Amino acid sequence: MTEIEHPLRGKVAVVTGASRGIGRAIALRLAARGATVACVATSAERARESADACAQAGAASGARAAAYGVDVSKTAAVAELVQQVQTELGGLDILVNNAGITRDQLLLRMSEEEFDAVVDTNLKGAWNFIRASARPLMKSRGRIINIASVVGLTGNAGQSNYAASKAGLIGLTRSVAKELASRNVCCNAVAPGYIDTDMTAAIDAKAKETLVAAIPLGRTGAADDVAQAVEYLAGPGGAYITGQVLVVDGGLSL
Ligand code: NAP
């Protein structure tokens, strides 16, 4: 019974962008399934509340949680952090690259800074974590789950930077899946559609209405809809799945 309830007992998970939104929901799900979770945000203070909630969710299985801060786009700092997590939490089994930003702008108005900031955070940030975690994940036969976006598959006007970063993340996912398969590391992407978080809160009511009308399931997604997909890929059910993109969008991209 316990193994069914806590299939991730004894596993250590790193979740980036865990202070809020989708990352927080993922961290909580993994903790509830027994994983010890390293909640990463731009600062440890920002990740603290999520880590406390994870510690509570994981209490029944003896899982721990801790808060860490790093700018995911900084290669050396990420390598140091991954080392620190292993030392403090006792290994590394699951990596969820979820940290992400938008800087929406029409192509002709988009600045170089807006392009670079999005690609550096969303794509290079994931590459930084994957590279720093590859050895420990080979050792633990671990899992990598990258949070992409349907926009990485379809493109979107006003999001040339963001769509490129997410399409790149899907290419990164498939390449890493091929490269690490012989070491029993599975690497997949989850591509959410429109999910209610801070990232989408600025969209005005009229635009949201139009968007919802285009979603076959007739509603926007919740952070936990994405977290459940991640939970599956991180758990026993994901053992024979690699290099895939699991779309969680209520049918939006159909
Ligand atoms: P959110 O609410 O805006 O949260 C973003 C998270 O990323 C925060 O925890 C933030 O930390 C962290 N972060 C941002 N830049 C960082 C950096 N340079 N270093 C470290 N952490 C950083 O976003 P969300 O809506 O939950 O989105 C999570 C992921 O899902 C993103 O990759 C996003 O692209 C993707 N996604 C979202 C949607 C959607 O509709 N919401 C759809 C498709 C894909 P701080 O709190 O410290 O700033």
Side-chain angles (χ1 to χ4, degrees):
M1 186 66 180
T2 311
E3 265 199 24
I4 293 169
E5 280 177 358
H6 301 126
L8 302 179
R9 186 196 284 268
K11 308 280 187 200
V12 176
V14 169
V15 181
T16 70
S19 55
R20 49 204 165 93
I22 294 170
R24 185 179 188 280
I26 292 169
L28 280 172
R29 279 245 155 221
L30 299 183
R33 292 294 171 244
T36 284
V37 182
C39 294
V40 181
T42 53
S43 71
E45 290 65 43
R46 290 188 65 80
R48 189 89 58 212
E49 191 277 332
S50 292
D52 290 346
C54 284
Q56 249 185 337
S61 65
R64 292 180 294 146
Y68 296 92
V70 78
D71 178 345
V72 296
S73 71
K74 304 290 183 231
T75 307
V78 167
E80 234 171 79
L81 179 88
V82 170
Q83 198 58 54
Q84 188 188 349
V85 168
Q86 290 175 77
T87 309
E88 293 178 359
L89 302 184
L92 180 52
D93 304 272
I94 298 160
L95 168 64
V96 183
N97 285 305
N98 164 81
I101 57 168
T102 52
R103 295 284 183 273
D104 297 355
Q105 192 55 269
L106 293 172
L107 182 66
L108 294 179
R109 290 195 196 140
M110 189 177 287
S111 68
E112 184 181 354
E113 287 71 28
E114 286 166 335
F115 183 85
D116 286 348
V118 169
V119 171
D120 284 355
T121 303
N122 300 4
L123 179 56
K124 189 179 175 190
W127 182 84
N128 282 338
F129 266 92
I130 291 171
R131 195 172 74 141
S133 308
R135 279 199 180 84
L137 288 173
M138 286 182 211
K139 212 165 133 193
S140 63
R141 301 174 157 229
R143 306 278 171 84
I144 301 168
I145 297 141
N146 297 318
I147 308 304
S149 166
V150 283
V151 160
L153 298 167
T154 63
N156 197 23
Q159 291 198 306
S160 58
N161 50 359
Y162 184 77
S165 75
K166 295 300 188 179
L169 190 53
I170 290 168
L172 173 65
T173 301
R174 292 190 172 130
S175 301
V176 169
K178 285 186 171 178
E179 209 168 307
L180 300 187
S182 65
R183 312 301 291 264
N184 279 296
V185 177
C186 294
C187 180
N188 292 288
V190 171
Y194 183 108
I195 310 297
D196 290 311
T197 68
D198 291 351
M199 189 175 268
T200 46
I203 297 173
D204 67 68
K206 185 92 189 86
K208 190 172 167 183
E209 211 177 283
T210 312
L211 223 146
V212 171
I215 301 172
L217 285 181
R219 67 168 178 92
T220 54
D224 195 53
D225 289 320
V226 181
Q228 292 192 60
V230 174
E231 176 189 352
Y232 178 74
L233 289 170
Y240 199 56
I241 302 173
T242 197
Q244 301 305 305
V245 182
L246 179 50
V247 176
V248 181
D249 71 346
L252 176 66
S253 61
L254 281 176

Coordinates of all heavy atoms in Angstrom, one line a residue, residues 43-111:
S43 N 15.6 33.2 -5.8 CA 16.3 33.2 -4.5 C 15.7 32.2 -3.6 O 14.5 31.8 -3.8 CB 16.1 34.6 -3.8 OG 14.8 34.8 -3.4
A44 N 16.5 31.7 -2.6 CA 16.0 30.7 -1.6 C 14.8 31.3 -0.9 O 13.8 30.5 -0.6 CB 17.1 30.3 -0.7
E45 N 14.8 32.6 -0.6 CA 13.6 33.2 0.1 C 12.3 33.0 -0.7 O 11.3 32.7 -0.1 CB 13.9 34.7 0.4 CG 15.0 35.0 1.4 CD 16.4 34.6 0.9 OE1 16.7 34.8 -0.3 OE2 17.1 34.0 1.7
R46 N 12.4 33.2 -2.0 CA 11.2 33.1 -2.8 C 10.7 31.7 -2.9 O 9.5 31.4 -3.1 CB 11.5 33.6 -4.2 CG 11.7 35.1 -4.2 CD 11.7 35.7 -5.7 NE 10.5 35.5 -6.4 CZ 9.4 36.3 -6.3 NH1 9.5 37.3 -5.4 NH2 8.3 36.1 -7.0
A47 N 11.6 30.7 -2.7 CA 11.2 29.3 -2.8 C 10.8 28.7 -1.4 O 10.3 27.6 -1.3 CB 12.4 28.5 -3.4
R48 N 11.0 29.5 -0.4 CA 10.9 29.0 1.0 C 9.4 28.5 1.3 O 9.3 27.4 1.8 CB 11.2 30.1 2.0 CG 11.3 29.6 3.5 CD 12.7 29.1 3.9 NE 13.7 30.1 3.7 CZ 15.0 29.9 3.3 NH1 15.4 28.6 3.2 NH2 15.8 30.9 3.2
E49 N 8.4 29.2 0.9 CA 7.1 28.8 1.2 C 6.7 27.5 0.6 O 6.1 26.6 1.2 CB 6.1 30.0 0.8 CG 4.7 29.8 1.3 CD 3.8 28.9 0.4 OE1 4.1 28.8 -0.8 OE2 2.9 28.2 1.0
S50 N 7.2 27.3 -0.7 CA 6.9 26.1 -1.4 C 7.6 24.9 -0.7 O 7.0 23.8 -0.6 CB 7.4 26.2 -2.9 OG 6.6 27.1 -3.6
A51 N 8.8 25.2 -0.3 CA 9.6 24.1 0.4 C 8.9 23.7 1.7 O 8.8 22.5 2.0 CB 11.0 24.6 0.6
D52 N 8.4 24.7 2.4 CA 7.7 24.4 3.7 C 6.4 23.5 3.3 O 6.1 22.6 4.0 CB 7.3 25.7 4.4 CG 8.5 26.4 5.0 OD1 9.6 25.8 5.0 OD2 8.3 27.6 5.3
A53 N 5.7 23.9 2.3 CA 4.5 23.2 1.9 C 4.9 21.7 1.5 O 4.1 20.8 1.8 CB 3.8 23.9 0.8
C54 N 6.0 21.6 0.8 CA 6.4 20.3 0.3 C 6.8 19.4 1.5 O 6.5 18.2 1.6 CB 7.7 20.4 -0.6 SG 7.2 20.9 -2.2
A55 N 7.5 20.0 2.5 CA 7.9 19.3 3.7 C 6.6 18.7 4.4 O 6.6 17.6 4.9 CB 8.7 20.2 4.7
Q56 N 5.6 19.5 4.4 CA 4.3 19.1 5.0 C 3.7 18.0 4.2 O 3.3 16.9 4.8 CB 3.3 20.3 5.1 CG 3.1 20.7 6.5 CD 2.0 21.8 6.5 OE1 1.8 22.5 5.5 NE2 1.4 22.0 7.7
A57 N 3.7 18.1 2.9 CA 3.1 17.1 2.0 C 3.9 15.8 2.1 O 3.3 14.7 1.9 CB 3.0 17.7 0.6
G58 N 5.2 15.9 2.3 CA 6.0 14.7 2.3 C 6.2 14.1 3.7 O 6.8 13.0 3.8
A59 N 5.6 14.7 4.7 CA 5.8 14.2 6.1 C 5.5 12.8 6.3 O 6.2 12.0 6.9 CB 5.1 15.1 7.1
A60 N 4.3 12.4 5.7 CA 3.8 11.0 5.9 C 4.8 9.9 5.4 O 4.9 8.8 5.9 CB 2.5 10.8 5.2
S61 N 5.6 10.3 4.4 CA 6.6 9.3 3.8 C 8.0 9.5 4.3 O 8.9 8.9 3.9 CB 6.5 9.3 2.3 OG 7.0 10.6 1.9
G62 N 8.2 10.5 5.1 CA 9.5 10.9 5.6 C 10.4 11.7 4.7 O 11.6 11.8 4.8
A63 N 9.7 12.2 3.6 CA 10.4 13.0 2.6 C 10.8 14.4 3.2 O 10.0 14.9 4.0 CB 9.6 13.2 1.4
R64 N 11.9 14.9 2.7 CA 12.3 16.3 3.2 C 12.1 17.3 2.0 O 11.8 16.9 0.9 CB 13.7 16.3 3.6 CG 14.0 15.5 4.9 CD 15.4 15.5 5.3 NE 16.3 14.8 4.3 CZ 17.5 15.2 4.0 NH1 18.0 16.2 4.5 NH2 18.2 14.5 3.1
A65 N 12.3 18.5 2.3 CA 12.3 19.6 1.3 C 13.2 20.7 1.7 O 13.5 20.9 2.8 CB 10.9 20.1 1.1
A66 N 13.8 21.4 0.7 CA 14.7 22.5 1.0 C 14.5 23.5 -0.2 O 14.1 23.2 -1.3 CB 16.1 22.0 1.1
A67 N 14.8 24.8 0.2 CA 14.7 25.9 -0.7 C 16.1 26.3 -1.2 O 17.0 26.4 -0.4 CB 14.0 27.1 -0.1
Y68 N 16.2 26.6 -2.5 CA 17.5 27.1 -3.1 C 17.2 28.2 -4.0 O 16.1 28.3 -4.6 CB 18.1 25.9 -3.9 CG 18.5 24.7 -3.0 CD1 17.7 23.7 -2.8 CD2 19.8 24.7 -2.4 CE1 18.0 22.6 -2.1 CE2 20.1 23.6 -1.6 CZ 19.2 22.6 -1.4 OH 19.6 21.5 -0.6
G69 N 18.2 29.1 -4.2 CA 18.1 30.2 -5.1 C 19.3 30.2 -6.1 O 20.4 29.9 -5.8
V70 N 18.9 30.4 -7.4 CA 19.9 30.5 -8.4 C 19.3 31.1 -9.7 O 18.1 31.0 -9.9 CB 20.5 29.1 -8.8 CG1 19.6 28.3 -9.7 CG2 21.9 29.3 -9.5
D71 N 20.0 31.9 -10.5 CA 19.6 32.3 -11.8 C 19.9 31.2 -12.7 O 21.1 30.9 -13.0 CB 20.3 33.6 -12.2 CG 19.9 34.1 -13.6 OD1 19.3 33.3 -14.3 OD2 20.2 35.2 -13.9
V72 N 18.9 30.5 -13.2 CA 19.1 29.3 -14.0 C 20.0 29.5 -15.3 O 20.5 28.6 -15.8 CB 17.8 28.6 -14.5 CG1 17.0 28.1 -13.2 CG2 16.9 29.5 -15.3
S73 N 20.1 30.7 -15.7 CA 20.8 31.0 -16.9 C 22.3 31.1 -16.7 O 23.1 31.2 -17.6 CB 20.4 32.3 -17.6 OG 20.8 33.4 -16.8
K74 N 22.7 31.0 -15.4 CA 24.2 31.1 -15.0 C 24.8 29.7 -14.9 O 24.6 29.1 -13.9 CB 24.4 31.9 -13.7 CG 23.7 33.3 -13.8 CD 24.5 34.2 -14.8 CE 23.9 35.6 -14.8 NZ 23.6 36.2 -16.1
T75 N 25.6 29.3 -15.9 CA 26.1 28.0 -15.9 C 26.9 27.5 -14.7 O 26.6 26.5 -14.1 CB 27.0 27.8 -17.2 OG1 26.2 28.3 -18.3 CG2 27.4 26.4 -17.4
A76 N 27.8 28.3 -14.3 CA 28.7 27.9 -13.1 C 27.9 27.8 -11.9 O 28.1 26.9 -11.1 CB 29.9 28.9 -13.0
A77 N 27.0 28.8 -11.7 CA 26.2 28.8 -10.4 C 25.3 27.6 -10.4 O 25.0 27.1 -9.3 CB 25.4 30.1 -10.4
V78 N 24.7 27.2 -11.5 CA 23.8 26.0 -11.6 C 24.6 24.8 -11.2 O 24.2 23.9 -10.4 CB 23.1 25.9 -13.0 CG1 22.5 24.6 -13.1 CG2 22.1 27.0 -13.1
A79 N 25.8 24.7 -11.8 CA 26.7 23.5 -11.5 C 26.9 23.4 -10.0 O 26.9 22.3 -9.4 CB 28.0 23.6 -12.3
E80 N 27.2 24.5 -9.4 CA 27.5 24.6 -7.9 C 26.3 24.1 -7.1 O 26.3 23.4 -6.2 CB 27.8 26.0 -7.5 CG 29.2 26.1 -6.8 CD 29.5 27.6 -6.6 OE1 28.9 28.3 -5.8 OE2 30.3 28.1 -7.5
L81 N 25.1 24.6 -7.6 CA 23.9 24.3 -6.9 C 23.5 22.9 -7.0 O 23.1 22.2 -6.0 CB 22.7 25.2 -7.5 CG 21.4 24.9 -6.8 CD1 21.2 25.8 -5.6 CD2 20.2 25.0 -7.7
V82 N 23.7 22.3 -8.1 CA 23.4 20.8 -8.3 C 24.3 20.0 -7.4 O 23.8 19.0 -6.8 CB 23.5 20.4 -9.8 CG1 23.4 18.9 -9.9 CG2 22.4 21.1 -10.6
Q83 N 25.5 20.4 -7.3 CA 26.4 19.7 -6.3 C 25.9 19.8 -4.9 O 25.9 18.9 -4.2 CB 27.8 20.4 -6.5 CG 29.0 19.5 -6.0 CD 29.0 18.2 -6.6 OE1 29.1 18.1 -7.8 NE2 29.0 17.1 -5.8
Q84 N 25.6 21.1 -4.5 CA 25.1 21.3 -3.2 C 23.8 20.5 -2.8 O 23.7 19.9 -1.7 CB 24.8 22.8 -3.1 CG 24.4 23.3 -1.7 CD 23.9 24.7 -1.6 OE1 24.0 25.5 -2.6 NE2 23.4 25.2 -0.5
V85 N 22.9 20.4 -3.8 CA 21.7 19.6 -3.6 C 22.0 18.2 -3.3 O 21.5 17.6 -2.4 CB 20.7 19.7 -4.8 CG1 19.6 18.7 -4.7 CG2 20.2 21.1 -4.9
Q86 N 22.9 17.6 -4.1 CA 23.3 16.2 -3.9 C 23.9 16.0 -2.5 O 23.6 15.0 -1.8 CB 24.3 15.8 -4.9 CG 23.7 15.7 -6.3 CD 24.8 15.4 -7.3 OE1 25.3 14.3 -7.4 NE2 25.3 16.4 -8.0
T87 N 24.8 16.9 -2.1 CA 25.4 16.8 -0.8 C 24.4 16.9 0.3 O 24.4 16.1 1.3 CB 26.5 17.9 -0.6 OG1 27.3 17.9 -1.8 CG2 27.3 17.7 0.6
E88 N 23.5 17.9 0.2 CA 22.6 18.1 1.3 C 21.4 17.2 1.3 O 20.9 16.9 2.4 CB 22.1 19.6 1.2 CG 23.2 20.6 1.5 CD 22.8 22.0 1.4 OE1 21.7 22.3 1.1 OE2 23.7 22.9 1.6
L89 N 20.9 16.7 0.1 CA 19.7 15.9 0.1 C 20.0 14.4 -0.2 O 19.1 13.6 -0.2 CB 18.7 16.5 -0.9 CG 18.3 17.9 -0.6 CD1 17.2 18.4 -1.6 CD2 17.7 18.1 0.9
G90 N 21.3 14.1 -0.6 CA 21.6 12.7 -0.7 C 21.5 12.1 -2.1 O 21.2 10.9 -2.1
G91 N 21.6 12.9 -3.1 CA 21.5 12.3 -4.5 C 20.7 13.1 -5.4 O 20.3 14.3 -5.1
L92 N 20.4 12.6 -6.6 CA 19.5 13.2 -7.5 C 18.9 12.2 -8.5 O 19.6 11.4 -9.1 CB 20.4 14.3 -8.3 CG 19.6 15.1 -9.4 CD1 18.4 15.7 -8.8 CD2 20.5 16.1 -10.0
D93 N 17.6 12.2 -8.5 CA 16.9 11.2 -9.3 C 15.9 11.8 -10.3 O 15.7 11.1 -11.3 CB 16.0 10.3 -8.3 CG 16.9 9.6 -7.3 OD1 17.4 8.5 -7.5 OD2 17.0 10.2 -6.2
I94 N 15.4 12.9 -10.0 CA 14.4 13.5 -10.9 C 14.7 15.0 -11.1 O 14.9 15.7 -10.1 CB 13.0 13.4 -10.3 CG1 12.6 12.0 -10.1 CG2 12.0 14.2 -11.2 CD1 11.4 11.8 -9.1
L95 N 14.8 15.5 -12.4 CA 15.1 16.9 -12.6 C 13.9 17.4 -13.4 O 13.6 16.9 -14.5 CB 16.4 17.0 -13.5 CG 16.6 18.4 -14.1 CD1 16.8 19.5 -13.0 CD2 17.9 18.4 -15.0
V96 N 13.3 18.5 -12.9 CA 12.2 19.1 -13.6 C 12.6 20.5 -14.0 O 12.7 21.4 -13.1 CB 10.9 19.1 -12.8 CG1 9.7 19.7 -13.6 CG2 10.5 17.7 -12.4
N97 N 12.8 20.8 -15.3 CA 13.2 22.1 -15.7 C 11.9 22.9 -16.1 O 11.3 22.7 -17.1 CB 14.1 22.0 -17.0 CG 15.5 21.6 -16.6 OD1 16.1 22.2 -15.8 ND2 16.0 20.5 -17.2
N98 N 11.5 23.7 -15.1 CA 10.2 24.4 -15.2 C 10.4 25.9 -15.3 O 9.5 26.6 -15.8 CB 9.3 24.0 -14.1 CG 8.1 24.9 -13.9 OD1 7.1 24.8 -14.6 ND2 8.2 25.9 -13.0
A99 N 11.5 26.5 -14.8 CA 11.6 27.9 -14.7 C 11.5 28.5 -16.1 O 12.1 28.0 -17.0 CB 13.0 28.3 -14.1
G100 N 10.7 29.6 -16.2 CA 10.5 30.2 -17.5 C 10.0 31.6 -17.4 O 9.4 32.0 -16.4
I101 N 10.2 32.4 -18.4 CA 9.7 33.8 -18.5 C 9.2 34.1 -19.9 O 9.5 33.4 -20.8 CB 10.8 34.8 -18.1 CG1 12.0 34.7 -19.1 CG2 11.3 34.7 -16.7 CD1 13.0 35.9 -19.0
T102 N 8.4 35.1 -19.9 CA 8.0 35.7 -21.2 C 8.4 37.1 -21.3 O 8.5 37.8 -20.3 CB 6.4 35.6 -21.4 OG1 5.8 36.2 -20.3 CG2 5.9 34.2 -21.6
R103 N 8.7 37.6 -22.5 CA 8.9 39.0 -22.8 C 8.2 39.2 -24.2 O 8.9 39.4 -25.2 CB 10.4 39.4 -22.9 CG 11.2 39.2 -21.6 CD 10.9 40.3 -20.6 NE 11.7 40.2 -19.4 CZ 11.4 39.5 -18.4 NH1 10.3 38.8 -18.3 NH2 12.3 39.4 -17.3
D104 N 6.9 39.2 -24.2 CA 6.2 39.2 -25.5 C 6.3 40.6 -26.2 O 6.2 41.6 -25.6 CB 4.7 38.9 -25.2 CG 4.5 37.5 -24.7 OD1 5.4 36.8 -24.6 OD2 3.3 37.2 -24.3
Q105 N 6.5 40.5 -27.5 CA 6.6 41.7 -28.3 C 6.5 41.3 -29.8 O 7.0 40.2 -30.1 CB 7.9 42.4 -28.0 CG 8.1 43.8 -28.5 CD 7.0 44.7 -28.1 OE1 6.0 44.8 -28.8 NE2 7.2 45.4 -27.0
L106 N 6.0 42.1 -30.6 CA 6.0 41.8 -32.0 C 7.4 41.9 -32.5 O 8.2 42.6 -32.0 CB 5.1 42.8 -32.8 CG 3.6 42.7 -32.5 CD1 2.9 43.8 -33.2 CD2 3.1 41.3 -33.0
L107 N 7.7 41.0 -33.5 CA 9.1 40.8 -34.0 C 9.9 42.2 -34.2 O 11.0 42.4 -33.7 CB 9.0 40.1 -35.3 CG 10.4 39.7 -36.0 CD1 11.2 38.8 -35.1 CD2 10.1 39.1 -37.3
L108 N 9.2 43.1 -34.9 CA 9.9 44.3 -35.3 C 10.2 45.3 -34.1 O 11.0 46.2 -34.1 CB 9.2 45.1 -36.4 CG 9.1 44.3 -37.7 CD1 8.3 45.1 -38.8 CD2 10.5 44.0 -38.2
R109 N 9.4 45.0 -33.0 CA 9.6 45.8 -31.8 C 10.4 45.1 -30.7 O 10.8 45.7 -29.7 CB 8.3 46.2 -31.2 CG 7.5 47.1 -32.1 CD 6.3 47.7 -31.2 NE 5.4 48.3 -32.1 CZ 4.1 48.3 -32.0 NH1 3.5 47.6 -31.0 NH2 3.3 48.9 -32.9
M110 N 10.7 43.8 -31.0 CA 11.4 43.1 -29.9 C 12.9 43.5 -29.9 O 13.6 43.5 -30.9 CB 11.3 41.6 -30.2 CG 11.8 40.7 -29.0 SD 11.6 39.0 -29.4 CE 9.8 38.8 -29.1
S111 N 13.4 43.7 -28.7 CA 14.8 44.1 -28.5 C 15.7 42.8 -28.4 O 15.2 41.7 -28.1 CB 15.0 44.9 -27.2 OG 14.7 44.1 -26.1

